[in-house]
Amino acid sequence: MTTSRTLLRALRDRDAGLYLTGLVVSAFGTSSLSLASGMWVKDLTGSDSLPALCMLAAWSPTLAGPALGTIADRVRRTPLLIGLNLALAAALPALFAVRSADGLWLLLTVLFLYGTAGAVAEAAESALVTAVVPAELRGDFNGLRMTVTEGMKLVAPLTGAGLYAAFGGPAVACLDAVTFVIAAGLYALLRVREERPVPSGGGWRKETAEGVRHLRRHPVLRPLVRAGGTTMLLASLSSTTVYAVVDRLGHSAAYTGVLSAVQGAGSVTAGLVSGTALRRLGARRFAAAGIVLTALAVAARAVPSDAVALVSAAAIGLGLPWVLVAAFTAVQQHTPGPLLGRATATANTLVLAPTVLGLGVGAGLLELASPALLSPLYGLALLGTAASLAQRTGSASRTAARSPSDASPT
């Protein structure tokens, strides 16, 4: 009842509803193209490995997140988001020129620009939340953002795959371009009053460093971001075992789609309960609970059972988003507005970039040991991460961790 009431409050506001709708539309187009681009490269080249370059091209700009986030602090966020969406809508039609393997460079270039604009937009979107959504509802709103984003991941790939099968990659790019135009229009309707940022007087490097220093020195944000990055690293290590797990169960590789759907359903549920749980537990305990749940689920992958595998997937989908919601809501709550773009982008890099490392290292470790051995080890490491975060909650930083702005975001 409490969760439903707070979610309705978060959606009742006109600007919050428009903002969330814009995110939904954009996420639909992004998820559609994400799957179709890999299929496109596979068909163009016949290679099983080259499709991974699509993910690399789109994710690599995240490594420059701290510098890209500075852009979001130098201009007003609403016009920036409108401009980024329109720029991507204008760039995507270039993919109509990709007709053979010789055009692979163009597809990867557009995906790289896509990822760069996305890194800037993520920083601007997170900063704009503080202007659109009341402080006491940000945890609920961030959970709702995750719910709709994960929900799109369940629906949009099927649309993208079907459109690609019927009309080819350019048709999916066209769909994505249309979603960006619609999102830009929705952002243009926002009635958010933003003051023009005042130049700090420092250079780009100095401004970027300010965001890094803020996270490093803040007693609440530093352990949350560190735990988030460690969790994502270990979760990505574990994710590399999924095909081996499915093989042990005696299923074909297509069964991973079932596990992915179950995990997505868990993530949708996580977003709906995050706001209430965050208020009751506080950011650190909420994040620690999510890490413990993820740890138990990861370790359970060592058990060769269909039922256990399905429950494990749902539990990972439920627990992992708690860590992200806790960390990024805390960044919004504990960062001054003029610094929020840089701090958010830096947190994105520190929390999400380890995923790329984990995927590479995990694939190598899987050549040396079975998931029956690796999964419990990953689970134990996650439990250690949760214990460290929980211990900090009860340490000398207890006062900061239990402040009203942390335990009840207001």
Side-chain angles (χ1 to χ4, degrees):
M1 181 68 71
T2 301
T3 298
S4 299
R5 186 164 54 249
T6 52
L7 288 177
L8 286 175
R9 285 183 61 197
L11 289 175
R12 193 175 295 135
D13 181 82
R14 174 186 179 277
D15 285 335
L18 285 171
Y19 177 79
L20 187 64
T21 304
L23 291 177
V24 171
V25 172
S26 181
F28 180 83
T30 297
S31 296
S32 298
L33 184 63
S34 178
L35 176 65
S37 61
M39 298 169 62
W40 199 352
V41 172
K42 168 67 175 175
D43 287 342
L44 288 175
T45 66
S47 170
D48 290 327
S49 58
L50 286 179
L53 292 177
C54 295
M55 182 179 296
L56 178 62
W59 270 88
S60 56
T62 305
L63 299 175
L68 293 174
T70 304
I71 299 173
D73 287 334
R74 288 192 163 197
V75 298
R76 289 184 295 138
R77 279 75 183 246
T78 304
L80 175 62
L81 285 173
I82 295 171
L84 287 171
N85 278 274
L86 292 178
L88 287 174
L92 284 167
L95 296 182
F96 277 85
V98 179
R99 301 180 183 275
S100 67
D102 292 337
L104 180 60
W105 69 271
L106 178 58
L107 174 59
L108 296 178
T109 299
V110 171
L111 290 175
F112 178 79
L113 295 175
Y114 198 110
T116 302
V120 178
E122 178 68 26
E125 288 168 354
S126 182
L128 193 60
V129 167
T130 62
V132 172
V133 181
E136 67 272 13
L137 297 179
R138 287 174 195 159
D140 299 276
F141 189 81
N142 286 330
L144 195 56
R145 284 179 65 188
M146 181 159 291
T147 293
V148 298
T149 301
E150 293 300 322
M152 286 301 100
K153 290 179 181 178
L154 296 177
V155 177
L158 297 177
T159 303
L163 193 60
Y164 176 83
F167 303 105
V172 184
C174 186
L175 169 67
D176 200 14
V178 170
T179 64
F180 279 123
V181 172
I182 295 174
L186 291 168
Y187 288 136
L189 294 175
L190 292 175
R191 297 172 180 170
V192 179
R193 299 184 62 181
E194 294 183 83
E195 298 293 333
R196 186 177 296 277
V198 178
S200 65
W204 194 282
R205 181 179 298 179
K206 181 179 179 181
E207 290 185 5
T208 299
E210 288 174 355
V212 177
R213 282 197 299 269
H214 174 70
L215 293 181
R216 187 176 67 241
R217 295 174 179 176
H218 200 286
V220 173
L221 301 182
R222 183 178 64 252
L224 276 171
V225 171
R226 180 186 297 135
T230 303
T231 300
M232 293 303 293
L233 171 65
L234 293 168
S236 62
L237 285 169
S238 172
S239 70
T240 62
T241 68
V242 65
Y243 286 101
V245 168
V246 167
D247 188 56
R248 291 180 69 208
L249 295 175
H251 296 294
S252 68
Y255 190 71
T256 59
V258 176
L259 297 181
S260 178
V262 172
Q263 182 172 330
S267 296
V268 169
T269 304
L272 294 175
V273 303
S274 289
T276 300
L278 182 58
R279 279 191 297 276
R280 292 181 178 178
L281 297 176
R284 292 191 183 185
R285 285 186 290 274
F286 179 52
I291 298 172
V292 169
L293 183 58
T294 303
L296 297 176
V298 164
R301 281 180 163 169
V303 180
S305 163
D306 279 326
V308 172
L310 291 170
V311 172
S312 172
I316 292 173
L318 185 63
L320 200 57
W322 290 0
V323 186
L324 303 179
V325 171
F328 291 120
T329 301
V331 171
Q332 292 171 346
Q333 300 295 76
H334 295 281
T335 304
L339 192 61
L340 194 48
R342 283 164 284 174
T344 297
T346 301
N348 274 335
T349 297
L350 294 176
V351 172
L352 301 179
T355 300
V356 180
L357 175 63
L359 291 173
V361 174
L365 291 175
L366 197 57
E367 296 293 326
L368 303 176
S370 73
L373 173 63
L374 294 174
S375 294
L377 292 178
Y378 297 150
L380 284 173
L382 283 164
L383 286 176
T385 302
S388 176
L389 187 61
Q391 184 178 18
R392 287 180 176 275
T393 304
S395 68
S397 59
R398 180 180 300 169
T399 300
R402 294 183 179 178
S403 66
S405 62
D406 186 34
S408 179
T410 58

